[in-house]
Amino acid sequence: MKLLRLKYYLPRMPSGIYGRAALILLMPVIALQFVVSFVFIRRDLEDITQQMTYTMVRELTLIRNEVTQAEDRAAALARLDPMMGPLQMSVRFLEAGAVPPDLIHFEDFSGRIVRATLAQSLPEFLSIQLPRTKVLRTVVDTRHGPLEVEFSRRRVSVAAPHQLIVIMVFFGILLGVIAMAYMRNQLRPIKRLADAAEAFGRGRMIPYHPRGATEVRAAGAAFVDMRSRIERQIEQRTLMLSGVSHDLRTPLTRLKLGLSMLDDDDAKPMLQDVTEMENMVNAFLDFSRGVSTSAMEEADPCALVSEAVDSWTRQGKNVLLVEAVGNRPVPLRVAAVRRALDNLISNAVRYGTRARVSVAVMQKSLRIRVEDDGPGIPDDLRGDAVRPFTRLDPARNQDRGTGVGLGLAIVADIARAHGGTLRLETSEELGGLQADIVIAL
């Protein structure tokens, strides 16, 4: 359980494949640079600085011994004068109260090592000054007072301690950029495959040719074959049911002609059966067509919904458009969306007395909502309501119309073809069914 909870405290991985690839590629490089920099600074740079400082400690000890053997300051300076040239140093005595404090800048890591080494190895050490120039001044205590010794900073620390780090960071960034460019070329075919699969799931067809590595080509070829098989299956289903519908229309027409010659009282029940059979055939045909009969085009959902509501209003139905937000065109199969909307409004006015329609075009989604004041659909039956050829007698009043259970199935199929879904809930305002078509944009 603790391991499962740990993932909630870890930083989230990027959602895109480019972000994850960059993270996988750059994290080891950055970690390696941090480790090498830490080892270099804490081990090599510190050891080298200490060794160079120990050499200066011996020279400072020599200078202090020469001062100790002199009788006064003048004699001490005279004894040290021949040595200052070869040692490349300069010395001067300070007054007892004029000893300057330590001067080490915040970013001077090697300077702190120098001071710690001098303080540990030289008991007479008093202070050290490390200005931003290339000069180092240190003060040691002698029998004649504080003695300031000045020499080059390079004698106790390397000239460019950051050179290795700078070179490592520069080439790390350079190689990282080159690797990212190469990785992007390798990931582009995967991104194109994902875009083609997503577009096909939303009912759009975009050109796609398998490219890239062998595995990516294999996956792309499998996707192309799968897309072709699905298209053939949809086409075969449409042709089969269209053919069946067309073949059934002929005998139904003959039955109508035959029944028209009978008395109205005798022919009325049979005409009703023939009409129901025609409605079933039309429902089968609508379901078989799905969204294959309309192309994707830019359309304004608000105008589309408004036209549908006006059409039902002209038929004398209590249908009202209560909200229309976001008037902008989006890619839709207009005929299919209109068919789905008509199915929802038809169900609303059949099983209720009024229907309320709203549409909202947001930045990333489209929502079309139809509400009614009918009996609604229980929660445990909403999953069955969108299944083909399923009728929910307890949920709907069958005395007001009959069907084959394809209305909501057609709506759900159209929503899925646009990459969306059909949501069935209870209307808070009317108390009946609330059907939402939600499509991702």
Side-chain angles (χ1 to χ4, degrees), residues 160-176:
H162 61 282
Q163 184 176 7
L164 174 62
I165 300 176
V166 172
I167 293 176
M168 182 177 60
V169 172
F170 172 76
F171 280 100
I173 294 174
L174 178 62
L175 296 177

Side-chain angles (χ1 to χ4, degrees), residues 65-126:
N65 292 336
E66 292 294 330
V67 173
T68 302
Q69 295 177 8
E71 296 180 356
D72 53 21
R73 291 187 174 186
L77 294 177
R79 292 177 62 92
L80 294 175
D81 186 64
M83 303 171 56
M84 294 299 98
L87 294 178
Q88 298 181 356
M89 295 181 179
S90 62
V91 295
R92 68 188 181 103
F93 284 100
L94 302 176
E95 298 300 327
V99 177
D102 291 338
L103 175 61
I104 302 176
H105 295 286
F106 175 77
E107 73 280 1
D108 194 352
F109 175 77
S110 60
R112 292 181 174 82
I113 301 176
V114 172
R115 187 197 183 287
T117 305
L118 289 175
Q120 180 181 3
S121 304
L122 193 63
E124 296 80 9
F125 170 78
L126 295 179

Side-chain angles (χ1 to χ4, degrees), residues 7-15 20 23:
K7 67 179 182 180
Y8 295 105
Y9 300 98
L10 295 176
R12 286 193 172 185
M13 289 283 288
S15 58
R20 295 194 176 193
L23 186 63

Side-chain angles (χ1 to χ4, degrees), residues 16-293:
I17 188 172
Y18 288 136
R20 295 194 176 193
L23 186 63
I24 295 173
L25 181 65
L26 297 180
M27 282 301 294
V29 177
I30 296 175
L32 178 62
Q33 290 186 354
F34 272 112
V35 171
V36 173
S37 301
F38 178 79
V39 172
F40 172 73
I41 293 175
R42 298 295 298 178
R43 297 289 300 276
D44 296 345
L45 182 60
E46 184 176 354
D47 293 344
I48 293 174
T49 303
Q50 287 179 348
Q51 293 176 7
M52 298 176 70
T53 306
Y54 285 143
T55 302
M56 295 307 303
V57 168
R58 290 192 292 268
E59 295 181 5
L60 292 174
T61 302
L62 175 63
I63 292 174
R64 183 182 177 281
N65 292 336
E66 292 294 330
V67 173
T68 302
Q69 295 177 8
E71 296 180 356
D72 53 21
R73 291 187 174 186
L77 294 177
R79 292 177 62 92
L80 294 175
D81 186 64
M83 303 171 56
M84 294 299 98
L87 294 178
Q88 298 181 356
M89 295 181 179
S90 62
V91 295
R92 68 188 181 103
F93 284 100
L94 302 176
E95 298 300 327
V99 177
D102 291 338
L103 175 61
I104 302 176
H105 295 286
F106 175 77
E107 73 280 1
D108 194 352
F109 175 77
S110 60
R112 292 181 174 82
I113 301 176
V114 172
R115 187 197 183 287
T117 305
L118 289 175
Q120 180 181 3
S121 304
L122 193 63
E124 296 80 9
F125 170 78
L126 295 179
S127 68
I128 186 173
Q129 287 191 320
L130 295 169
R132 297 188 184 276
T133 60
K134 297 180 180 181
V135 177
L136 184 150
R137 300 185 186 91
T138 182
V139 181
V140 295
D141 189 20
T142 65
R143 60 176 292 193
H144 301 299
L147 178 67
E148 181 185 78
V149 183
E150 180 179 317
F151 52 89
S152 175
R153 169 70 183 268
R154 293 186 178 182
R155 300 185 65 178
V156 293
S157 62
V158 295
H162 61 282
Q163 184 176 7
L164 174 62
I165 300 176
V166 172
I167 293 176
M168 182 177 60
V169 172
F170 172 76
F171 280 100
I173 294 174
L174 178 62
L175 296 177
V177 171
I178 296 175
M180 282 300 302
Y182 179 77
M183 181 66 70
R184 187 178 182 86
N185 291 332
Q186 296 300 312
L187 295 179
R188 187 176 290 114
I190 302 177
K191 184 66 168 55
R192 290 176 179 173
L193 175 59
D195 293 340
E198 182 180 5
F200 183 66
R202 295 186 178 184
R204 298 195 301 268
M205 187 74 63
I206 62 175
Y208 173 74
H209 301 284
R211 294 179 180 178
T214 303
E215 293 79 2
V216 180
R217 287 175 178 266
F223 166 74
V224 172
D225 293 340
M226 179 192 68
R227 186 173 66 178
S228 300
R229 287 195 301 269
I230 293 176
E231 291 176 348
R232 287 196 301 268
Q233 182 182 5
I234 295 175
E235 183 179 0
Q236 290 173 0
R237 184 188 70 171
T238 303
L239 292 176
M240 180 186 67
L241 293 180
S242 298
V244 171
S245 173
H246 181 271
D247 294 340
L248 287 176
R249 289 180 187 274
T250 302
L252 289 174
T253 303
R254 288 199 302 266
L255 285 174
K256 277 189 173 183
L257 291 175
L259 292 174
S260 63
M261 300 179 183
L262 299 177
D263 296 335
D264 293 341
D265 295 337
D266 297 334
K268 185 176 181 180
M270 289 183 287
L271 283 174
Q272 184 177 357
D273 293 339
V274 172
T275 302
E276 291 181 2
M277 291 179 65
E278 284 186 336
N279 293 335
M280 291 180 185
V281 171
N282 292 332
F284 291 151
L285 187 58
D286 288 341
F287 181 70
S288 66
R289 285 192 308 226
V291 295
S292 61
T293 58

Side-chain angles (χ1 to χ4, degrees), residues 311-326:
S311 176
W312 282 93
T313 303
R314 286 192 298 268
Q315 300 177 30
K317 304 298 183 181
N318 188 358
V319 181
L320 180 64
L321 179 61
V322 296
E323 183 185 25
V325 180

